[in-house]
Amino acid sequence: MIIDCHGHYTTEPAPLLKFREQQIAALKDPAQAPSRESLKISDDQIRDSVQNAQMKFQRERGTDVTIFSPRASGMAHHIGTAATSLEWSQICNDLIHRVCLLFPENFIGVCQLPQSPGTSLDNSIRELERCVTQMNFVGCNLNPDPSGGYWNGPPLTDRAWYPFYERMVELDVPAMVHVSSSCNPNFHATGAHYINADTTAFMQFLASNLFSDFPALKFVIPHGGGGVPFHWGRYRGLAQDMKKPPLKELLLNNVYFDTCVYHLPGIELMTKVVPIDNILFASEMIGAVKGIDPETGHNYDDTRRYIDAVSWLSAEDRNKIYEGNARKVYPRINKILASA
Ligand SMILES: [Zn+2]
């Protein structure tokens, strides 16, 4: 089985986007506020939105199930208030749940959190509980920078996050560290803001005692870990200078990387420096890079080809990357896959 641990609902039916436009317009003119009841999306609209998109790629590329979450750039936690973010997150998560109910063999849900800059994580805790206990979601996307590119909140290792982490551990779900859109013109969203955030989160974890406080807490750092694998020696050296234990002991029971790296040399490097036990297959389709690589004739995000092409991986290594590690990091998928 091949589990893709990172897919987004980037083909949402048009009424969802229309609702969001109205919700944002209502921040200036409350008379325009759309009611939730006005948002109507049929099962057929949902089927149409994924059957010739994410599901087509699953078939063509030979992957089985995608751990599926709302469009990451659409989370936009910096917009509006905590109430705006709560309503939007609940609607997006409910829609993911409907996709998973319609296609239980193809999709497993991961939720967006109703984070809002400068506010407590209480709403996020409640929404995580709702999604996991009532809708069978297996994880969440946690935004380390809900400001959208200004990084003026506390680092992921600050105690302000601890109540949320406690609940994650109790529910036995990991978080993918995932920023949203950038409203800082210095940082292109998918080309810079995402990769910066992945690298930043790793260094925050490295410099902290977070995993002494939460030995069972698990994070997936997407997009191949940002700049981390390429600079593995730097991070090993920094940990050593800080009198920390080796990376393996310090954080590799807690931090995992996905394979959303869109060329073979990147995946080759990753599998050389990051332990195989810490790499999870993912494509982030349909997402950041949609085109076809003229050098290979295949989609950049057809990441299965790269893993299949790494000559030194054993069958056991590939099985870990494709399936075993995802079952370990997202333990709740085991029950869902057994009943699908
Ligand atoms: Zn993503």
Side-chain angles (χ1 to χ4, degrees):
M1 168 174 275
I2 297 185
I3 300 167
D4 183 341
C5 80
H6 187 174
H8 296 295
Y9 197 8
T10 47
T11 53
E12 323 91 320
L16 182 78
L17 303 174
K18 178 83 184 155
F19 179 92
R20 179 62 164 168
E21 270 174 36
Q22 291 172 331
Q23 194 204 31
I24 293 170
L27 294 170
K28 286 195 178 134
D29 175 11
Q32 295 197 46
S35 72
R36 276 206 211 190
E37 297 68 44
S38 71
L39 176 60
K40 300 253 189 290
I41 296 173
S42 69
D43 285 353
D44 278 344
Q45 281 175 302
I46 295 176
R47 284 190 194 97
D48 288 346
S49 71
V50 290
Q51 274 176 326
N52 285 310
Q54 290 85 355
M55 288 172 67
K56 177 169 156 276
F57 285 133
Q58 286 178 338
R59 283 193 301 275
E60 287 177 1
R61 299 175 185 182
T63 66
D64 296 289
V65 62
T66 300
I67 298 181
F68 203 50
S69 61
R71 182 194 289 266
S73 61
M75 299 189 295
H77 295 116
H78 58 279
I79 293 176
T81 64
T84 315
S85 203
L86 180 60
E87 179 180 58
W88 177 234
S89 298
Q90 288 176 339
I91 287 171
C92 290
N93 291 333
D94 287 349
L95 201 57
I96 293 293
H97 182 46
R98 288 179 65 193
V99 173
C100 297
L101 287 176
L102 285 170
F103 299 104
E105 293 183 359
N106 299 84
F107 299 103
I108 294 176
V110 153
C111 65
Q112 163 180 337
L113 296 170
Q115 295 172 247
S116 189
T119 67
S120 89
L121 288 156
D122 291 353
N123 283 347
S124 294
I125 292 171
R126 274 193 292 273
E127 182 62 1
L128 179 72
E129 284 171 354
R130 185 181 81 93
C131 291
V132 173
T133 63
Q134 296 176 30
M135 305 198 295
N136 264 341
F137 283 35
V138 299
C140 57
N141 288 337
L142 182 67
N143 187 345
D145 171 35
S147 76
Y150 289 95
W151 293 92
N152 48 15
L156 287 173
T157 48
D158 189 275
R159 285 186 173 269
W161 298 91
Y162 277 27
F164 186 78
Y165 296 156
E166 283 166 15
R167 204 65 192 109
M168 275 174 60
V169 170
E170 283 164 15
L171 292 166
D172 206 10
V173 294
M176 180 172 277
V177 176
H178 208 310
V179 284
S180 186
S181 50
S182 167
C183 45
N184 181 336
N186 287 291
F187 302 127
H188 181 274
T190 51
H193 187 39
Y194 280 26
I195 308 302
N196 294 346
D198 303 334
T199 312
T200 298
F202 183 81
M203 191 60 212
Q204 290 178 358
F205 295 148
L206 187 156
S208 78
N209 295 315
L210 181 62
F211 303 119
S212 303
D213 291 345
F214 292 99
L217 188 63
K218 287 188 167 53
F219 291 100
V220 178
I221 302 188
H223 322 113
V228 172
F230 196 67
H231 291 279
W232 201 244
R234 173 177 295 253
Y235 294 108
R236 287 179 50 232
L238 281 166
Q240 191 173 313
D241 288 352
M242 291 176 182
K243 313 283 184 235
K244 300 267 186 189
L247 295 185
K248 196 166 172 45
E249 215 174 295
L250 178 63
L251 41 69
L252 292 179
N253 290 316
N254 309 88
V255 176
Y256 299 83
F257 301 90
D258 83 9
T259 62
C260 294
V261 176
Y262 294 156
H263 65 154
L264 177 59
I267 291 288
E268 286 181 331
L269 178 133
M270 193 177 179
T271 58
K272 275 186 184 166
V273 300
V274 176
I276 297 299
D277 286 340
N278 292 75
I279 302 174
L280 275 66
F281 174 72
S283 67
E284 201 176 23
M285 61 93 176
I286 299 167
V289 177
K290 297 190 189 75
I292 290 172
D293 184 346
E295 291 180 10
T296 65
H298 300 290
N299 286 83
Y300 289 97
D301 68 4
D302 185 356
T303 51
R304 183 177 169 191
R305 287 178 180 278
Y306 312 133
I307 292 145
D308 285 346
V310 178
S311 59
W312 52 82
L313 292 179
S314 67
E316 189 193 350
D317 290 340
R318 282 201 181 81
N319 186 49
K320 283 181 176 176
I321 293 171
Y322 282 139
E323 179 181 354
N325 294 340
R327 287 181 180 271
K328 188 177 66 180
V329 176
Y330 296 82
R332 283 178 172 264
I333 63 177
N334 292 305
K335 211 172 115 195
I336 296 173
L337 291 173
S339 64

